[in-house]
Amino acid sequence: MAMMQEFREFAIKGNVMDLAVGVIIGGAFGKIVDSVVNDLIMPVVGLIFGKLDFSNLFVILGTVPDGIPRTLDALRKAGVPVFAYGNFITVAVNFLILAFIIFIMVKQINRLKREAPAAPAAPAPTPEDVVLLREIRDSLRNPQR
């Protein structure tokens, strides 16, 4: 029973909940980045390099059985080894975009978190001999003490 209580306390701590929210949002954000790369960026890159489908660039490493179309999906389903460099490039561009976006986010968060300038330091305490001299001066001014 104590273990369940300890687990409950662990699970509802702020950091664990923040991590859970971050993972969920990160998964959704990853899908958005995938769509940006696959649907917007890679077609433009493919057009520049003269290919319409950049992720379908591959080199066949084995023998292709008769009747199998020479597409990446069909070859993979048939178990033919392929060197899918186009897919790798798509994933690498996806990673670079995601890393750049996270870099910008962290940079902005750090800019917002910058501490306010430190308050001016308190003046140094007056040396003891100066305090004693002031007391003597004040007592000489007011002899009625």
Side-chain angles (χ1 to χ4, degrees):
M1 203 57 164
M3 181 182 251
M4 291 301 290
Q5 179 66 23
E6 187 177 342
F7 176 74
R8 182 178 176 272
E9 289 173 7
F10 168 77
I12 60 175
K13 278 186 182 177
N15 293 341
V16 173
M17 296 306 287
D18 291 345
L19 178 63
V21 170
V23 167
I24 292 168
I25 290 176
F29 188 69
K31 290 180 182 179
I32 291 171
V33 172
D34 283 342
S35 177
V36 167
V37 170
N38 293 329
D39 301 331
L40 302 176
I41 294 174
M42 293 316 284
V44 173
V45 171
L47 183 65
I48 291 171
F49 288 105
K51 301 287 183 183
L52 295 177
D53 187 7
F54 197 71
S55 64
N56 231 358
L57 295 177
F58 58 90
V59 174
I60 300 171
L61 299 176
T63 57
V64 179
D66 292 334
I68 301 294
R70 293 185 180 263
T71 64
L72 184 59
D73 289 336
L75 291 170
R76 283 185 172 168
K77 285 179 184 175
V80 178
V82 292
F83 185 73
Y85 65 93
N87 191 36
F88 172 76
I89 292 171
T90 301
V91 171
V93 169
N94 187 348
F95 170 77
L96 291 173
I97 291 171
L98 186 61
F100 181 72
I101 291 170
I102 290 173
F103 168 74
I104 296 298
M105 287 173 40
V106 169
K107 185 175 179 177
Q108 292 302 318
I109 289 171
N110 287 342
R111 187 178 64 95
L112 293 174
K113 282 185 176 179
R114 283 194 185 135
E115 296 178 18
T126 308
E128 190 177 332
D129 56 342
V130 173
V131 171
L132 288 173
L133 287 171
R134 286 181 184 166
E135 288 177 4
I136 293 170
R137 178 197 65 199
D138 292 344
S139 68
L140 290 174
R141 283 189 187 160
N142 193 1
Q144 295 172 352
R145 276 190 176 180

